[in-house]
Amino acid sequence: MSSFSNQGLTADKINNSNFNFTELEDCRVTDVQRIKTPPQPPQPRPWRKTPEWNKKYLETLTEDIISFKPSGELGLSDVRILMQGPVGMGKSSFYNTINSVFKGRISQSAPCGVAKSGITIAYTPYVVNVRSGESLKFRLCDTRGLEVTHDLEILECNYLLDGNIPDFYQFNPVAPINPDNPLFVHQPKCTEKIHCVLFVIDAATIGDMPKTMVDKMQYFQNLTNFKGIPQAVLLTKVDLACKDVASNITNVFTGKKIEAAVDKASNLFGLPRNHILPVKNNEIEMELDDNISILALLALRQLLYYAEDYLQVLQFKMKARNVTNEKGDKRDPLEKGSDQE
Ligand SMILES: Nc1nc2c(ncn2[C@@H]2O[C@H](COP(=O)(O)OP(=O)(O)OP(=O)(O)O)[C@@H](O)[C@H]2O)c(=O)[nH]1
Ligand SMILES: [Mg+2]
Protein backbone atom coordinates (compact mmCIF):
# COMPACT_ATOMS: atom_id res chain seq x y z
CA MET A 1 0.00 0.00 0.00
CA SER A 2 1.47 3.48 -0.93
CA SER A 3 1.03 6.20 1.63
CA PHE A 4 2.68 9.42 2.74
CA SER A 5 3.13 11.27 5.98
CA ASN A 6 1.34 14.57 6.53
CA GLN A 7 4.42 15.86 8.47
CA GLY A 8 2.28 17.83 10.89
CA LEU A 9 0.18 19.63 8.26
CA THR A 10 -3.57 19.73 8.73
CA ALA A 11 -6.06 18.65 6.11
CA ASP A 12 -7.18 22.28 5.61
CA LYS A 13 -3.65 23.48 4.84
CA ILE A 14 -2.95 20.71 2.39
CA ASN A 15 -6.19 20.43 0.50
CA ASN A 16 -6.82 24.18 0.33
CA SER A 17 -10.50 23.15 0.16
CA ASN A 18 -9.97 21.68 -3.32
CA PHE A 19 -9.78 17.94 -2.60
CA ASN A 20 -12.60 15.81 -1.36
CA PHE A 21 -10.78 13.80 1.28
CA THR A 22 -10.08 14.35 4.93
CA GLU A 23 -8.36 11.09 6.03
CA LEU A 24 -4.84 12.34 5.28
CA GLU A 25 -3.13 9.84 7.60
CA ASP A 26 -4.07 6.96 5.34
CA CYS A 27 -4.29 8.64 2.02
CA ARG A 28 -3.15 6.46 -0.89
CA VAL A 29 -1.11 8.02 -3.68
CA THR A 30 -3.44 6.48 -6.23
CA ASP A 31 -6.42 8.21 -4.59
CA VAL A 32 -4.68 11.58 -4.88
CA GLN A 33 -3.86 10.96 -8.52
CA ARG A 34 -7.43 9.95 -9.31
CA ILE A 35 -8.84 13.08 -7.75
CA LYS A 36 -6.30 15.37 -9.48
CA THR A 37 -7.02 14.05 -13.00
CA PRO A 38 -10.76 13.56 -13.40
CA PRO A 39 -11.69 11.34 -16.36
CA GLN A 40 -12.05 13.28 -19.61
CA PRO A 41 -15.43 13.14 -21.40
CA PRO A 42 -15.18 10.98 -24.54
CA GLN A 43 -14.41 12.99 -27.69
CA PRO A 44 -17.28 12.96 -30.22
CA ARG A 45 -16.54 10.73 -33.19
CA PRO A 46 -15.73 12.71 -36.34
CA TRP A 47 -18.12 12.13 -39.25
CA ARG A 48 -15.23 12.75 -41.64
CA LYS A 49 -11.53 12.12 -41.07
CA THR A 50 -10.17 15.33 -39.57
CA PRO A 51 -7.18 17.06 -41.11
CA GLU A 52 -4.13 17.83 -39.00
CA TRP A 53 -4.76 21.28 -37.65
CA ASN A 54 -1.18 22.52 -37.72
CA LYS A 55 1.22 24.73 -39.70
CA LYS A 56 2.89 21.76 -41.37
CA TYR A 57 -0.39 20.55 -42.88
CA LEU A 58 -1.23 24.08 -43.99
CA GLU A 59 2.13 24.18 -45.79
CA THR A 60 1.44 20.80 -47.44
CA LEU A 61 -1.92 22.03 -48.76
CA THR A 62 -0.39 25.31 -49.91
CA GLU A 63 2.38 23.48 -51.79
CA ASP A 64 -0.10 21.06 -53.40
CA ILE A 65 -2.10 24.01 -54.71
CA ILE A 66 0.94 25.99 -55.87
CA SER A 67 2.26 22.96 -57.74
CA PHE A 68 -1.08 22.25 -59.45
CA LYS A 69 -0.88 22.44 -63.25
CA PRO A 70 -3.60 21.31 -65.66
CA SER A 71 -2.59 18.29 -67.73
CA GLY A 72 -0.23 19.28 -70.49
CA GLU A 73 -1.80 17.67 -73.51
CA LEU A 74 -4.77 20.04 -73.67
CA GLY A 75 -2.48 23.06 -73.53
CA LEU A 76 -4.55 24.85 -70.86
CA SER A 77 -2.96 27.69 -68.92
CA ASP A 78 -5.38 27.18 -66.01
CA VAL A 79 -8.68 25.59 -65.01
CA ARG A 80 -11.89 27.47 -64.34
CA ILE A 81 -14.07 26.76 -61.33
CA LEU A 82 -17.47 28.45 -61.59
CA MET A 83 -19.06 29.49 -58.30
CA GLN A 84 -22.83 29.45 -58.59
CA GLY A 85 -25.64 29.75 -56.07
CA PRO A 86 -28.20 32.08 -54.51
CA VAL A 87 -27.18 35.65 -53.59
CA GLY A 88 -25.39 36.20 -50.31
CA MET A 89 -24.13 32.64 -49.81
CA GLY A 90 -20.43 33.57 -49.65
CA LYS A 91 -19.16 33.05 -53.24
CA SER A 92 -17.08 36.22 -53.37
CA SER A 93 -15.99 35.70 -49.75
CA PHE A 94 -14.61 32.27 -50.65
CA TYR A 95 -12.38 33.82 -53.28
CA ASN A 96 -11.26 36.42 -50.73
CA THR A 97 -10.55 33.70 -48.15
CA ILE A 98 -8.36 31.77 -50.62
CA ASN A 99 -6.65 34.90 -51.93
CA SER A 100 -5.90 35.97 -48.36
CA VAL A 101 -3.96 32.76 -47.67
CA PHE A 102 -1.63 33.39 -50.60
CA LYS A 103 -1.35 37.12 -49.89
CA GLY A 104 -0.44 36.41 -46.29
CA ARG A 105 -3.02 38.88 -45.03
CA ILE A 106 -6.78 39.40 -45.02
CA SER A 107 -7.71 40.56 -48.51
CA GLN A 108 -11.02 41.83 -49.91
CA SER A 109 -10.40 42.02 -53.66
CA ALA A 110 -13.88 40.73 -54.46
CA PRO A 111 -16.64 43.03 -53.20
CA CYS A 112 -18.86 41.18 -50.76
CA GLY A 113 -21.67 41.99 -48.36
CA VAL A 114 -25.44 41.87 -48.22
CA ALA A 115 -27.72 43.47 -50.82
CA LYS A 116 -31.22 42.46 -51.81
CA SER A 117 -30.38 41.90 -55.47
CA GLY A 118 -26.88 40.71 -54.83
CA ILE A 119 -23.50 42.39 -54.72
CA THR A 120 -21.76 40.65 -57.62
CA ILE A 121 -23.14 41.61 -61.01
CA ALA A 122 -20.33 40.62 -63.41
CA TYR A 123 -18.68 37.39 -64.51
CA THR A 124 -15.22 37.69 -62.96
CA PRO A 125 -12.66 34.90 -63.31
CA TYR A 126 -10.49 35.79 -60.33
CA VAL A 127 -6.83 34.84 -60.35
CA VAL A 128 -4.77 34.10 -57.24
CA ASN A 129 -1.13 35.16 -57.18
CA VAL A 130 1.63 33.97 -54.90
CA ARG A 131 3.72 36.64 -53.23
CA SER A 132 6.38 36.52 -55.97
CA GLY A 133 3.60 37.64 -58.34
CA GLU A 134 3.22 34.34 -60.20
CA SER A 135 -0.39 33.30 -60.92
CA LEU A 136 -1.70 29.98 -59.70
CA LYS A 137 -3.14 27.66 -62.35
CA PHE A 138 -6.81 28.06 -61.57
CA ARG A 139 -9.46 30.76 -61.67
CA LEU A 140 -12.29 31.11 -59.22
CA CYS A 141 -15.06 32.43 -61.46
CA ASP A 142 -17.47 34.61 -59.55
CA THR A 143 -20.82 35.45 -61.06
CA ARG A 144 -24.19 37.01 -60.41
CA GLY A 145 -26.10 35.12 -57.73
CA LEU A 146 -29.41 33.42 -58.34
CA GLU A 147 -32.57 35.03 -56.98
CA VAL A 148 -36.06 33.64 -56.61
CA THR A 149 -37.56 36.47 -58.67
CA HIS A 150 -34.68 37.48 -60.89
CA ASP A 151 -31.66 35.59 -62.04
CA LEU A 152 -29.53 34.43 -64.87
CA GLU A 153 -31.49 33.05 -67.74
CA ILE A 154 -30.94 29.34 -68.14
CA LEU A 155 -29.50 30.05 -71.57
CA GLU A 156 -27.01 32.40 -69.96
CA CYS A 157 -26.00 29.62 -67.57
CA ASN A 158 -25.40 27.44 -70.57
CA TYR A 159 -23.28 30.16 -72.20
CA LEU A 160 -21.30 30.53 -68.99
CA LEU A 161 -20.41 26.83 -68.91
CA ASP A 162 -19.45 26.88 -72.58
CA GLY A 163 -17.23 29.96 -72.31
CA ASN A 164 -19.42 32.16 -74.54
CA ILE A 165 -19.61 34.93 -71.96
CA PRO A 166 -16.58 37.23 -71.97
CA ASP A 167 -14.57 37.86 -68.82
CA PHE A 168 -15.90 40.79 -66.74
CA TYR A 169 -19.20 40.81 -68.61
CA GLN A 170 -21.85 42.66 -66.61
CA PHE A 171 -25.13 40.78 -66.65
CA ASN A 172 -28.22 42.72 -67.61
CA PRO A 173 -31.26 41.12 -65.95
CA VAL A 174 -33.66 42.66 -68.44
CA ALA A 175 -31.64 41.79 -71.56
CA PRO A 176 -29.87 38.45 -71.34
CA ILE A 177 -26.82 38.03 -73.57
CA ASN A 178 -27.38 36.23 -76.87
CA PRO A 179 -25.25 35.30 -79.88
CA ASP A 180 -26.11 38.60 -81.61
CA ASN A 181 -24.40 40.57 -78.85
CA PRO A 182 -21.01 41.81 -80.17
CA LEU A 183 -19.39 40.68 -76.89
CA PHE A 184 -20.57 37.08 -77.30
CA VAL A 185 -17.62 34.67 -77.62
CA HIS A 186 -18.56 32.45 -80.55
CA GLN A 187 -15.53 30.17 -80.53
CA PRO A 188 -14.29 29.91 -76.97
CA LYS A 189 -11.05 28.07 -76.31
CA CYS A 190 -11.00 25.06 -73.99
CA THR A 191 -9.28 27.25 -71.39
CA GLU A 192 -12.24 29.69 -71.38
CA LYS A 193 -14.78 26.98 -70.59
CA ILE A 194 -15.77 25.79 -67.13
CA HIS A 195 -13.98 22.72 -65.80
CA CYS A 196 -15.71 22.38 -62.43
CA VAL A 197 -18.91 23.84 -60.97
CA LEU A 198 -19.09 24.78 -57.32
CA PHE A 199 -22.56 25.28 -55.85
CA VAL A 200 -22.19 27.66 -52.93
CA ILE A 201 -24.75 27.17 -50.14
CA ASP A 202 -25.05 28.57 -46.63
CA ALA A 203 -24.86 25.72 -44.05
CA ALA A 204 -27.02 27.69 -41.61
CA THR A 205 -29.97 28.15 -43.96
CA ILE A 206 -29.80 25.16 -46.29
CA GLY A 207 -33.01 23.77 -44.79
CA ASP A 208 -34.89 27.01 -45.53
CA MET A 209 -34.12 27.29 -49.24
CA PRO A 210 -37.35 28.02 -51.15
CA LYS A 211 -38.44 25.28 -53.53
CA THR A 212 -38.24 27.63 -56.53
CA MET A 213 -34.57 28.21 -55.73
CA VAL A 214 -33.91 24.49 -55.33
CA ASP A 215 -35.57 23.92 -58.71
CA LYS A 216 -33.39 26.60 -60.34
CA MET A 217 -30.23 25.09 -58.95
CA GLN A 218 -31.27 21.61 -60.03
CA TYR A 219 -32.06 22.85 -63.52
CA PHE A 220 -28.63 24.40 -63.73
CA GLN A 221 -27.17 21.18 -62.37
CA ASN A 222 -28.88 19.16 -65.09
CA LEU A 223 -27.13 21.32 -67.68
CA THR A 224 -23.83 20.70 -65.92
CA ASN A 225 -24.49 16.96 -65.78
CA PHE A 226 -25.33 16.92 -69.45
CA LYS A 227 -21.93 18.42 -70.25
CA GLY A 228 -20.18 15.97 -67.92
CA ILE A 229 -18.67 18.80 -65.87
CA PRO A 230 -17.76 17.75 -62.28
CA GLN A 231 -19.55 19.45 -59.41
CA ALA A 232 -19.18 20.04 -55.70
CA VAL A 233 -21.02 21.98 -53.02
CA LEU A 234 -19.26 24.54 -50.86
CA LEU A 235 -21.05 24.68 -47.53
CA THR A 236 -20.24 28.14 -46.16
CA LYS A 237 -20.97 29.86 -42.83
CA VAL A 238 -20.38 26.73 -40.73
CA ASP A 239 -19.75 29.14 -37.84
CA LEU A 240 -23.34 30.34 -38.05
CA ALA A 241 -24.69 26.78 -38.32
CA CYS A 242 -23.04 25.41 -35.17
CA LYS A 243 -21.97 27.14 -31.93
CA ASP A 244 -19.18 24.63 -31.26
CA VAL A 245 -17.69 25.39 -34.64
CA ALA A 246 -18.03 29.14 -34.06
CA SER A 247 -16.01 28.80 -30.86
CA ASN A 248 -13.49 26.42 -32.44
CA ILE A 249 -13.32 25.78 -36.16
CA THR A 250 -11.56 22.43 -35.61
CA ASN A 251 -14.91 21.06 -34.38
CA VAL A 252 -16.23 21.22 -37.93
CA PHE A 253 -15.87 17.48 -38.63
CA THR A 254 -17.43 16.44 -35.32
CA GLY A 255 -20.31 18.96 -35.29
CA LYS A 256 -23.62 17.13 -35.65
CA LYS A 257 -25.30 20.17 -37.21
CA ILE A 258 -22.61 20.34 -39.87
CA GLU A 259 -22.98 16.64 -40.54
CA ALA A 260 -26.74 17.13 -40.94
CA ALA A 261 -26.15 20.05 -43.36
CA VAL A 262 -23.73 17.89 -45.38
CA ASP A 263 -26.36 15.12 -45.59
CA LYS A 264 -28.97 17.65 -46.69
CA ALA A 265 -26.72 19.10 -49.40
CA SER A 266 -25.84 15.61 -50.58
CA ASN A 267 -29.54 14.74 -50.93
CA LEU A 268 -30.43 18.05 -52.55
CA PHE A 269 -27.77 17.79 -55.26
CA GLY A 270 -27.61 14.02 -55.51
CA LEU A 271 -23.86 14.19 -54.93
CA PRO A 272 -21.75 11.88 -52.75
CA ARG A 273 -21.01 13.32 -49.32
CA ASN A 274 -17.32 13.73 -50.10
CA HIS A 275 -18.36 16.32 -52.72
CA ILE A 276 -19.77 18.54 -49.96
CA LEU A 277 -17.05 20.85 -48.64
CA PRO A 278 -17.69 22.81 -45.44
CA VAL A 279 -15.82 26.09 -44.98
CA LYS A 280 -15.84 29.21 -42.88
CA ASN A 281 -14.93 32.35 -44.79
CA ASN A 282 -13.07 35.22 -43.23
CA GLU A 283 -15.72 37.57 -41.96
CA ILE A 284 -14.97 38.91 -38.49
CA GLU A 285 -11.25 38.08 -38.70
CA MET A 286 -8.64 40.83 -38.98
CA GLU A 287 -5.72 38.38 -39.03
CA LEU A 288 -5.29 35.08 -40.84
CA ASP A 289 -6.34 32.02 -38.87
CA ASP A 290 -4.49 28.82 -39.86
CA ASN A 291 -7.50 26.60 -39.20
CA ILE A 292 -9.79 28.69 -41.43
CA SER A 293 -7.10 28.56 -44.11
CA ILE A 294 -6.68 24.77 -43.79
CA LEU A 295 -10.41 24.23 -44.28
CA ALA A 296 -10.55 26.54 -47.32
CA LEU A 297 -7.46 25.00 -48.96
CA LEU A 298 -8.73 21.50 -48.30
CA ALA A 299 -11.86 22.41 -50.30
CA LEU A 300 -9.90 24.14 -53.06
CA ARG A 301 -7.44 21.25 -53.49
CA GLN A 302 -10.36 18.86 -53.91
CA LEU A 303 -11.89 21.12 -56.58
CA LEU A 304 -8.59 21.13 -58.47
CA TYR A 305 -8.52 17.32 -58.31
CA TYR A 306 -12.05 17.19 -59.80
CA ALA A 307 -11.08 19.60 -62.59
CA GLU A 308 -7.94 17.58 -63.28
CA ASP A 309 -9.91 14.32 -63.43
CA TYR A 310 -12.27 15.97 -65.92
CA LEU A 311 -9.37 17.10 -68.09
CA GLN A 312 -8.00 13.56 -68.09
CA VAL A 313 -11.33 12.24 -69.35
CA LEU A 314 -11.28 14.89 -72.07
CA GLN A 315 -7.81 13.79 -73.08
CA PHE A 316 -8.91 10.17 -73.38
CA LYS A 317 -11.75 11.34 -75.59
CA MET A 318 -9.43 13.54 -77.61
CA LYS A 319 -7.07 10.63 -78.18
CA ALA A 320 -9.92 8.29 -79.01
CA ARG A 321 -11.17 10.73 -81.60
CA ASN A 322 -7.68 11.62 -82.74
CA VAL A 323 -8.23 15.36 -82.42
CA THR A 324 -5.32 17.72 -81.90
CA ASN A 325 -4.95 19.97 -78.88
CA GLU A 326 -5.48 23.70 -78.60
CA LYS A 327 -1.96 24.44 -79.80
CA GLY A 328 -2.73 22.54 -83.00
CA ASP A 329 -6.18 24.15 -82.85
CA LYS A 330 -7.66 21.44 -85.00
CA ARG A 331 -10.50 20.44 -82.72
CA ASP A 332 -11.45 21.36 -79.22
CA PRO A 333 -12.49 18.34 -77.11
CA LEU A 334 -15.07 20.55 -75.41
CA GLU A 335 -16.54 21.57 -78.73
CA LYS A 336 -20.33 21.15 -78.72
CA GLY A 337 -21.17 17.53 -79.22
CA SER A 338 -17.56 16.34 -79.01
CA ASP A 339 -17.63 15.49 -75.31
CA GLN A 340 -20.99 13.82 -75.26
CA GLU A 341 -22.19 10.83 -77.10
N1 LIG B 1 -20.21 34.36 -40.49
C1 LIG B 1 -19.92 34.16 -41.77
N2 LIG B 1 -20.27 35.08 -42.69
C2 LIG B 1 -19.95 34.85 -43.99
C3 LIG B 1 -19.29 33.67 -44.41
N3 LIG B 1 -19.16 33.74 -45.75
C4 LIG B 1 -19.69 34.89 -46.15
N4 LIG B 1 -20.18 35.58 -45.10
C5 LIG B 1 -20.87 36.87 -45.12
O1 LIG B 1 -22.05 36.73 -45.92
C6 LIG B 1 -22.29 37.91 -46.67
C7 LIG B 1 -22.43 37.58 -48.15
O2 LIG B 1 -21.17 37.12 -48.61
P1 LIG B 1 -20.73 37.31 -50.14
O3 LIG B 1 -19.40 36.68 -50.28
O4 LIG B 1 -20.88 38.70 -50.59
O5 LIG B 1 -21.83 36.39 -50.84
P2 LIG B 1 -22.08 36.21 -52.43
O6 LIG B 1 -22.56 34.82 -52.60
O7 LIG B 1 -20.88 36.61 -53.19
O8 LIG B 1 -23.28 37.22 -52.66
P3 LIG B 1 -23.74 38.00 -54.01
O9 LIG B 1 -22.55 38.52 -54.72
O10 LIG B 1 -24.61 39.08 -53.48
O11 LIG B 1 -24.50 36.98 -54.82
C8 LIG B 1 -21.12 38.85 -46.37
O12 LIG B 1 -21.54 39.77 -45.36
C9 LIG B 1 -20.05 37.95 -45.83
O13 LIG B 1 -19.18 38.59 -44.93
C10 LIG B 1 -18.95 32.70 -43.41
O14 LIG B 1 -18.40 31.62 -43.68
N5 LIG B 1 -19.29 33.00 -42.12
MG1 LIG C 1 -20.59 38.03 -54.65
Side-chain angles (χ1 to χ4, degrees), residues 146-275:
L146 302 173
E147 286 175 85
V148 172
T149 48
H150 232 94
D151 62 357
L152 291 172
E153 287 285 313
I154 201 67
L155 256 179
E156 279 186 305
C157 292
N158 193 44
Y159 294 147
L160 262 181
L161 295 175
D162 284 348
N164 302 121
I165 297 195
D167 294 352
F168 311 110
Y169 175 79
Q170 198 166 314
F171 290 96
N172 180 347
V174 290
I177 192 168
N178 66 52
D180 295 333
N181 187 314
L183 297 172
F184 192 88
V185 183
H186 287 274
Q187 288 187 315
K189 293 186 182 143
C190 186
T191 201
E192 291 165 326
K193 300 182 180 188
I194 297 301
H195 310 107
C196 181
V197 168
L198 182 62
F199 296 101
V200 182
I201 303 291
D202 173 344
T205 60
I206 186 169
D208 310 326
M209 211 159 27
K211 180 161 182 329
T212 40
M213 180 55 76
V214 174
D215 291 347
K216 272 177 198 205
M217 306 264 291
Q218 287 176 343
Y219 201 79
F220 179 74
Q221 194 190 9
N222 287 344
L223 263 180
T224 314
N225 286 337
F226 182 73
K227 292 172 194 293
I229 301 172
Q231 306 144 31
V233 176
L234 190 76
L235 214 48
T236 56
K237 309 194 189 185
V238 288
D239 55 317
L240 300 183
C242 176
K243 274 195 207 133
D244 290 346
V245 176
S247 60
N248 185 349
I249 193 82
T250 68
N251 288 331
V252 67
F253 296 115
T254 48
K256 289 281 165 222
K257 286 191 178 152
I258 309 302
E259 183 183 19
V262 166
D263 289 351
K264 201 160 253 163
S266 163
N267 288 333
L268 212 60
F269 290 92
L271 291 169
R273 281 178 297 170
N274 58 8
H275 285 54

Side-chain angles (χ1 to χ4, degrees), residues 49 63 116 181 261 307:
K49 188 170 179 285
E63 280 160 22
K116 196 169 168 284
N181 187 314

